[in-house]
């Protein structure tokens, strides 16, 4: 394959993809708010994710465009932060739509971030792309607006795929780092009631799934999750065992609310039941390296 563009590719997920694809593409370009430069053969090009400034020329003749742009939801949901969370997703997607349409030879395939949080809180039903039920709250409405901004502009020469991604567990970043730290100091017990489901995916399967979607030219919405969501209480018990700590103090909702206030985040990130499964990936024949959480933890801690 010729050329890969990753918008907002300097973060955890972007670097997972860079490591995976570095020998599969002749050229990789990262759109970044930082300075334009070339490091280890990777080209970094400045953009503000809102306006044209020359970066749009990089999209010409690209094979694949992956957009990861969006303010982290790991923050307090103040009115200011809510606005930034929404606009950072909508504006970057809008300007990329305009850029793709301006291209004489646009990217063949555009994969845009979305989130498995788009489905309702569910203890009773597994949510797939066909039968999954969409909920109604701030996070869900952000996801709906994001996907609408992505799909409403038709790009006749570019395949579009929205990636409804769950928590990605990785060795060098993402949610696994603080969870591992909690478990190692004895706070690896259930969070809240503990019956809420955790949908997750190992970083290797995340990258392999993106590769598979590109290879198979899969369009539309697709869940990027492992086939085995687990209740929070089991997730944390297995993590305790994996790190070798004999017990885990549970954190009820009251203490989570206090803790989340001091670390400037929201309890929704751990209390929502995300019971999501990858129906389309499995139907297309994708094979997971880590279907279950135990071997995933073993690998991440090795």
């Amino acid at each position: 394959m010729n050329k890969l563009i990753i918008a907002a590719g300097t973060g955890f997920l972007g670097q997972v993809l860079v490591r995976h694809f570095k020998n599969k593409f002749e050229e990789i370009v990262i759109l970044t708010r930082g300075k334009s430069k070339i490091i280890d053969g990777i080209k970094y090009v400045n953009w503000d994710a809102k306006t044209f400034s020359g970066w749009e020329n990089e999209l010409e003749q690209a094979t694949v465009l992956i957009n990861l742009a969006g303010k982290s939801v790991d923050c307090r949901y103040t009115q200011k932060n809510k606005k930034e969370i929404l606009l950072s997703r909508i504006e970057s997607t809008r300007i990329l739509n305009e850029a793709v349409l301006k291209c004489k030879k646009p990217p063949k395939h555009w994969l845009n971030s979305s989130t498995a949080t788009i489905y309702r809180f569910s203890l009773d039903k597994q949510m797939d792309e066909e039968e999954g039920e969409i909920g109604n709250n701030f996070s869900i409405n952000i996801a709906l607006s994001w996907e609408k901004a992505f799909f409403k502009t038709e790009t006749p020469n570019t395949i579009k795929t929205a990636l409804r991604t769950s928590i990605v567990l990785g060795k060098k970043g993402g949610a696994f780092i603080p969870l591992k730290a909690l478990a190692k100091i004895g706070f690896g017990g259930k969070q809240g009631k503990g019956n809420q489901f955790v949908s997750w995916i190992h970083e290797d399967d995340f990258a392999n799934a993106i590769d598979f979607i590109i290879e198979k030219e899969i369009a539309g919405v697709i869940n990027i999750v492992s086939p085995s969501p687990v209740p929070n209480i089991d997730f944390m018990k297995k993590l305790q065992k994996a790190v070798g700590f004999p017990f885990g103090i549970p954190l009820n909702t009251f203490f989570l609310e206090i803790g989340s206030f001091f670390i400037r985040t929201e309890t929704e990130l751990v209390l929502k039941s995300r019971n999501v499964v990858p129906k389309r990936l499995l139907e297309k024949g994708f094979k997971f390296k880590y279907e279950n959480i135990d071997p995933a933890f073993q690998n991440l801690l090795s």
Side-chain angles (χ1 to χ4, degrees), residues 3-297:
K3 186 177 185 180
L4 169 65
I5 311 286
I6 306 178
T10 58
F12 165 54
L13 291 183
Q15 292 307 295
V16 168
L17 294 178
V18 167
R19 289 193 296 271
H20 178 84
F21 285 115
K22 64 182 179 181
N23 295 320
K24 297 192 176 191
F25 283 89
E26 294 175 22
E27 184 179 2
I28 295 179
V29 177
I30 305 294
L31 302 182
T32 173
R33 293 179 184 274
K35 293 181 179 180
S36 297
K37 56 192 174 184
I38 297 176
I39 300 178
D40 296 329
I42 308 295
K43 186 177 182 181
Y44 293 81
V45 176
N46 176 263
W47 80 324
D48 66 1
K50 297 177 183 178
T51 57
F52 293 136
S53 59
W55 60 264
E56 63 274 13
N57 299 323
E58 296 292 342
L59 272 60
E60 285 287 353
Q61 301 187 57
T63 313
V64 176
L65 165 64
I66 301 174
N67 178 30
L68 303 174
K71 176 179 172 61
S72 172
V73 296
D74 187 9
C75 62
R76 295 296 287 177
Y77 288 170
T78 62
Q79 288 305 118
K80 179 176 181 290
N81 283 339
K82 283 182 175 181
K83 183 178 180 180
E84 288 183 11
I85 288 169
L86 175 63
L87 290 181
S88 63
R89 286 156 173 75
I90 302 303
E91 289 179 342
S92 61
T93 303
R94 174 191 59 79
I95 199 68
L96 284 171
N97 263 314
E98 291 182 20
V100 167
L101 290 177
K102 282 182 63 174
C103 289
K104 293 179 180 178
K105 292 186 178 180
K108 295 178 181 178
H109 198 161
W110 175 7
L111 297 87
N112 208 66
S113 285
S114 183
T115 173
T117 295
I118 199 168
Y119 302 106
R120 68 166 173 84
F121 181 105
S122 177
L123 299 174
D124 60 318
K125 176 180 178 179
Q126 291 191 326
M127 302 294 177
D128 62 40
E129 298 90 343
E130 295 175 7
E131 302 296 330
E133 298 169 8
I134 308 300
N136 180 23
N137 64 19
F138 167 70
S139 298
I140 291 168
N141 292 331
I142 289 288
L144 287 170
S145 298
W146 200 2
E147 290 190 5
K148 181 179 180 182
F150 179 49
F151 285 118
K152 72 177 180 180
T153 301
E154 293 186 11
T155 53
N157 299 309
T158 302
I159 300 166
K160 281 183 168 179
T161 311
L163 308 171
R164 292 179 174 175
T165 307
S166 65
I167 296 169
V168 180
L169 304 177
K171 291 185 178 183
K172 297 182 179 180
F176 184 68
I177 304 301
L179 288 172
K180 176 177 66 174
L182 282 175
K184 283 185 173 181
I185 61 172
F187 287 95
K190 68 178 182 178
Q191 295 158 329
K193 292 182 179 179
N195 61 344
Q196 71 272 25
F197 280 90
V198 179
S199 281
W200 59 277
I201 189 168
H202 188 285
E203 60 184 346
D204 290 352
D205 281 327
F206 170 76
N208 288 333
I210 302 302
D211 201 333
F212 182 84
I213 290 165
I214 294 166
E215 178 190 349
K216 300 294 184 182
E217 298 185 344
I218 302 171
V221 300
I222 188 160
N223 294 341
I224 311 297
V225 299
S226 81
S228 306
V230 291
N232 173 270
I233 189 170
D234 295 335
F235 184 94
M236 297 308 294
K237 279 182 179 178
K238 291 174 183 293
L239 182 55
Q240 288 170 41
K241 182 179 178 181
V243 301
F245 205 89
F247 65 89
I249 298 171
L251 297 173
N252 63 30
T253 303
F254 174 75
F255 285 110
L256 285 173
E257 291 285 358
I258 294 173
S260 67
F261 176 80
F262 282 106
I263 65 172
R264 314 306 297 163
T265 189
E266 291 287 337
T267 57
E268 181 196 32
L269 300 179
V270 294
L271 294 181
K272 179 173 179 178
S273 186
R274 297 169 177 83
N275 196 0
V276 185
V277 290
K279 182 177 181 181
R280 291 195 71 202
L281 277 176
L282 293 173
E283 285 181 345
K284 296 288 185 181
F286 181 72
K287 303 296 184 184
F288 285 83
K289 285 176 65 177
Y290 302 99
E291 290 191 15
N292 299 302
I293 197 68
D294 290 304
F297 282 157

